[in-house]
Amino acid sequence: MLDDFDQQDASSPNLEQLMQIGIQSARQGNAENARVIFQQILDADKNNERGWLWMASVAESSADRIRYLRTVLTINPDNRTAQRELKKVESRTRSNNSRVLAYGSIALAVSLILIAVAVIALVVL
């Protein structure tokens, strides 16, 4: 019984081996598989700085990416890669939000003009 456990333990990849498999998956474009692997690493070691950084690289959304990068910076405030990437993604998010706000304002203005024209048309007729 103990021998079976030792064999299973020896055949299971360690965290570094999992990290390498996850990195390879990420580099090959298999983000879903990479996320699963990085999550296994992070489940085993919540303070794995590399795991969080790689998780950020395959995040499904900007919000997740920001959260993962902030976690890296909580673990290591001097991580330059996380600092740089966080600035990039936050800048893009602000830019996208500004664009949505601008288009929304234009759509609102057009809607108000159309309503005003309709009200004037009803009053005149």
Side-chain angles (χ1 to χ4, degrees):
M1 184 81 150
L2 188 56
D3 289 336
D4 290 341
F5 178 77
D6 289 341
Q7 287 176 346
Q8 182 182 10
D9 191 51
S11 66
S12 298
N14 64 32
L15 290 183
E16 184 55 34
Q17 290 167 328
L18 276 176
M19 180 70 71
Q20 293 307 315
I21 294 167
I23 291 169
Q24 184 178 11
S25 291
R27 287 183 173 155
Q28 291 174 347
N30 190 343
E32 186 175 335
N33 188 51
R35 277 192 296 275
V36 169
I37 293 169
F38 295 135
Q39 188 60 59
Q40 290 175 345
I41 293 167
L42 296 171
D43 288 344
D45 178 8
K46 299 277 187 231
N47 291 317
N48 190 308
E49 186 177 342
R50 284 175 58 216
W52 285 111
L53 195 57
W54 275 99
M55 185 65 112
S57 76
V58 293
E60 291 187 86
S61 69
S62 293
D64 285 344
R65 186 173 171 94
I66 289 169
R67 186 167 34 101
Y68 301 149
L69 291 169
R70 286 183 178 158
T71 301
V72 172
L73 293 173
T74 297
I75 296 166
N76 177 6
D78 297 325
N79 186 306
R80 295 198 186 272
T81 301
Q83 291 170 351
R84 181 183 65 244
E85 293 303 314
L86 185 59
K87 283 181 185 176
K88 282 183 193 177
V89 73
E90 285 179 336
S91 175
R92 267 186 302 226
T93 300
R94 279 192 301 275
S95 176
N96 288 343
N97 289 346
S98 295
R99 196 172 306 124
V100 167
L101 187 59
Y103 290 137
S105 297
I106 292 169
L108 179 62
V110 168
S111 297
L112 290 173
I113 290 169
L114 291 174
I115 291 170
V117 168
V119 168
I120 291 171
L122 286 174
V123 170
V124 171
L125 296 174

